[in-house]
Amino acid sequence: MNVTLHVWRQKQGAGKGRMVRYEARNVSEDMSFLEMLDVVNEELIEKGEEPIAFDHDCREGICGMCGFMINGVAHGPVPGTTVCELHMRHFKDGDDLYIEPWRARAFPVIKDLVVNRSAFDRIIAAGGYISVSTGSAPDGNAIPVPKEKAERAMDAAACIGCGACVAACPNAAAALFTGAKITHLAMLPQGAPERPQRALKMVLQMKEEMFGHCTNIGECEAVCPKQISIEVIARMNHDFIRASWSEREAPYRADQPAGEPSAGGCQ
Amino acid sequence: MSAIAVDLKVKQGFRFYESTIGKKVVMAVTGFILFGFVVGHLIGNLQVFGPPEKINNYAVMLRTVPAALWAARIVLLLSVVLHIVASIQLTKLKWDARPVKYQIKENVGSTYASRTMMWSGPIIAAFVIYHLLHFTFGWRVLSPHFDQHNVYNNIIYGFQFWPASLFYIVAMVLLGMHLYHGVWSMFQTLGVSHPRYTPWLRRLALAFALFVAGGNILIPAAVLTGYLKPVMGV
Ligand code: HEM
Ligand code: FES
């Protein structure tokens, strides 16, 4: 099959870019979308042109590196699928495909389809962890975890941090990502001690990173390759509201550098 | 937010509202108050389908305790102001959050109503101002027959002027849409979600949206079709 691509090309360090048209010929329907781009890139290299830059790593839907918009939908038309796992059989011969990077102030374009998602790392650094003492490994079953709680934590932990939720959201909000991380730790006993502080710090960091606000419309869960439900956003709201009511001291202080949201850039 | 020097206590107080969730909580709580008012208002007004004295007496009753009337008005006014201020601040954030737009963007998971809250909201606000001038203050230009003691006739004369009815009906359709998303959304904002009852919250929102829009539209519709007529000498 043949498809026409319209790809966002932006030079590294350039503030602006533009859509460029490419013809992808003799595409096998068994190729993944990224393999199709690999073939296009090889032709470009042969012609002495700059190949299309896109992020990828595992190519099996688990690392969260890949991702761009195909015809206005994050990760393309198949629900619950990353672009690396999206196959060309889902497209028709002669299709026109518009390929754009994630668009958000918090995700500046590095080059072509590659965006900088360090803002997510800084949200995690603000509180998406548990503090554990070093020493010998504790007994695996020492802390009971109810099955249902473990399931909910696992469902949220499925988030691979790809950024499709931000890309699909009309407000460029990071609520599904942050909600997933907060829920993942909040459901487990190990996450309980830091639960209020975590919600406060991570939610404030979202704003610091210039993500927009959640309007509960559900575009994010519709494109999430891991099909995480917006229930995690309610969980985040719940934890944040509760922590705001009940906290007794400032959640971050000058002598607590790791959690200082203004540190912006700490990894 | 880099200034650690800022007094932490003061910062703590403002921090809740500073977050996007804090602003949304303000929208949800004020939205809930306005929603409660809208439902109560409709139930009161449906008395227009009873004998004319009924709604006229109801209007008198509402004004028997001026302190209560003003307390309610102040709470409502405050809610409207906070709701609008928060919505403008959030919209500003949203614009800043995506400086470069997509060439193509599809909506795959959201309702039309949920994406147009910033359209339905301001139009409802414009309608509310018009509505107050029309029926509460009885501005002569809009209500030439206005009589403070005959609410029944005011409603009927008011709606016999079809452009007024049309604006009213359009605004109520938009209010229905605003509530269809809003009544569900406020639970989510406040952190209430459960696979067992969240689907019911969505149905509840739909039911209220239909009730509020439908109930309110019934009144101008009844006037325009001649079902409700002005009465003399009440
Ligand atoms: C009778 C009047 C109104 C009622 C009953 C009402 C009710 C609500 C409710 C319940 C919500 C949901 C809050 C949430 O998502 O947590 C909401 C959201 C919203 N309202 Fe209103 N509202 C009214 C008037 C207005 C007006 C006058 C505006 C004009 C600016 C407005 C703009 C919005 C916007 C933009 C949202 C979405 C907020 C967001 O999700 O970010 N509303 N409204
Ligand atoms: S490349 Fe790892 S998820 Fe797609």
Side-chain angles (χ1 to χ4, degrees):
Chain A
M1 68 196 261
N2 300 324
V3 290
T4 305
L5 308 178
H6 305 263
V7 185
W8 181 261
R9 301 303 309 263
Q10 180 170 339
K11 286 208 174 67
Q12 188 149 7
K16 285 205 174 76
R18 65 195 176 93
M19 300 299 276
V20 179
R21 186 187 158 115
Y22 299 97
E23 302 294 337
R25 308 231 160 265
N26 303 321
V27 174
S28 153
E29 56 181 28
D30 297 327
M31 286 177 173
S32 75
F33 205 91
L34 298 188
E35 284 164 342
M36 182 274 293
L37 286 182
D38 288 337
V39 172
V40 171
N41 273 347
E42 269 170 34
E43 283 173 18
L44 287 178
I45 293 168
E46 268 170 31
K47 280 194 276 180
E49 288 178 35
E50 185 73 14
I52 301 161
F54 58 87
D55 248 333
H56 64 107
D57 190 6
C58 70
R59 297 212 177 187
E60 56 178 11
I62 57 169
C63 75
M65 277 307 278
C66 67
F68 41 73
M69 307 293 281
I70 303 173
N71 287 349
V73 182
H75 288 300
V78 181
T81 308
T82 51
V83 273
C84 61
E85 295 228 290
L86 175 67
H87 287 88
M88 293 309 293
R89 57 177 165 271
H90 297 292
F91 299 94
K92 291 193 308 291
D93 185 46
D95 270 357
D96 267 67
L97 305 176
Y98 286 79
I99 305 174
E100 292 180 77
W102 295 161
R103 298 238 182 254
R105 160 153 302 175
F107 288 168
V109 172
I110 296 174
K111 184 181 179 183
D112 298 342
L113 305 173
V114 182
V115 298
N116 182 344
R117 285 167 290 189
S118 304
F120 270 7
D121 298 338
R122 289 189 292 271
I123 292 177
I124 296 291
Y129 52 79
I130 58 163
S131 303
V132 287
S133 320
T134 53
S136 55
D139 178 26
N141 291 322
I143 308 171
V145 180
K147 165 89 170 129
E148 176 262 351
K149 287 280 170 66
E151 291 288 350
R152 284 167 68 191
M154 277 304 283
D155 285 349
C159 169
I160 53 177
C162 64
C165 44
V166 174
C169 175
N171 316 312
L176 194 69
F177 167 79
T178 312
K181 300 304 171 192
I182 285 179
T183 303
H184 157 204
L185 296 173
M187 289 300 110
L188 298 173
Q190 290 88 342
E194 287 155 305
R195 184 170 171 178
Q197 301 295 295
R198 177 181 307 118
L200 289 172
K201 290 175 186 174
M202 292 178 79
V203 166
L204 289 169
Q205 189 66 24
M206 272 199 300
K207 169 108 181 288
E208 201 78 345
E209 299 293 345
M210 301 290 291
F211 288 108
H213 70 296
C214 172
T215 46
N216 304 325
I217 74 175
E219 282 297 326
C220 53
E221 69 177 359
V223 300
C224 175
K226 299 296 148 187
Q227 298 183 306
I228 291 171
S229 153
I230 56 172
E231 189 187 341
V232 301
I233 298 177
R235 169 68 35 206
M236 166 177 71
N237 294 345
H238 168 277
D239 281 13
F240 179 78
I241 294 167
R242 212 187 145 105
S244 299
W245 280 109
S246 60
E247 68 163 317
R248 295 189 179 205
E249 52 176 322
Y252 44 81
R253 301 193 306 268
D255 58 343
Q256 262 185 332
E260 215 323 286
S262 66
C266 67
Q267 250 95 47
Chain B
M1 264 206 344
S2 58
I4 299 165
V6 179
D7 181 20
L8 278 174
K9 272 253 162 61
V10 177
K11 231 172 116 174
Q12 221 167 309
F14 283 104
R15 207 189 39 225
F16 179 70
Y17 188 74
E18 199 184 295
S19 72
T20 49
I21 296 177
K23 291 190 181 66
K24 284 280 330 234
V25 167
V26 169
M27 295 221 62
V29 172
T30 54
F32 181 73
I33 294 171
L34 295 175
F35 164 66
F37 166 77
V38 163
V39 171
H41 186 69
L42 171 59
I43 292 171
N45 286 357
L46 286 177
Q47 298 177 62
V48 74
F49 290 103
E53 304 78 45
K54 191 150 191 208
I55 191 160
N56 286 346
N57 292 340
Y58 167 71
V60 172
M61 185 275 285
L62 285 182
R63 288 165 193 259
T64 40
V65 188
L69 179 68
W70 278 102
R73 282 177 173 174
I74 288 168
V75 169
L76 287 173
L77 191 66
L78 210 64
S79 299
V80 170
V81 170
L82 289 174
H83 196 82
I84 293 178
V85 168
S87 77
I88 293 172
Q89 290 175 326
L90 288 171
T91 304
K92 170 91 178 36
L93 280 176
K94 156 193 174 135
W95 286 343
D96 289 347
R98 178 164 292 136
V100 183
K101 303 275 167 279
Y102 288 111
Q103 316 253 333
I104 297 185
K105 178 71 173 68
E106 292 295 328
N107 297 302
V108 286
S110 56
T111 59
Y112 182 74
S114 72
R115 280 179 269 120
T116 50
M117 296 296 272
M118 212 38 189
W119 288 102
S120 54
I123 298 172
I124 295 166
F127 165 76
V128 169
I129 294 170
Y130 168 81
H131 187 62
L132 288 173
L133 292 173
H134 192 197
F135 284 144
T136 306
F137 303 120
W139 191 32
R140 288 286 150 202
V141 178
L142 295 175
S143 308
H145 302 284
F146 192 75
D147 170 3
Q148 213 205 319
H149 303 290
N150 195 339
V151 173
Y152 186 83
N153 275 5
N154 288 345
I155 293 175
I156 301 195
Y157 286 132
F159 285 140
Q160 279 179 342
F161 181 56
W162 70 264
S165 288
L166 183 69
F167 182 33
Y168 187 96
I169 290 170
V170 169
M172 287 309 114
V173 170
L174 293 173
L175 178 61
M177 285 166 53
H178 202 84
L179 292 179
Y180 172 55
H181 179 64
V183 169
W184 172 76
S185 176
M186 69 193 181
F187 287 101
Q188 174 82 2
T189 300
L190 296 176
V192 179
S193 176
H194 191 287
R196 198 162 58 232
Y197 50 70
T198 295
W200 285 100
L201 292 178
R202 293 202 187 245
R203 279 170 219 148
L204 183 85
L206 176 63
F208 270 114
L210 289 175
F211 172 63
V212 168
N216 276 315
I217 290 172
L218 214 55
I219 302 172
V223 173
L224 287 179
T225 54
Y227 178 76
L228 289 178
K229 292 189 186 65
V231 283
M232 295 306 146
V234 181

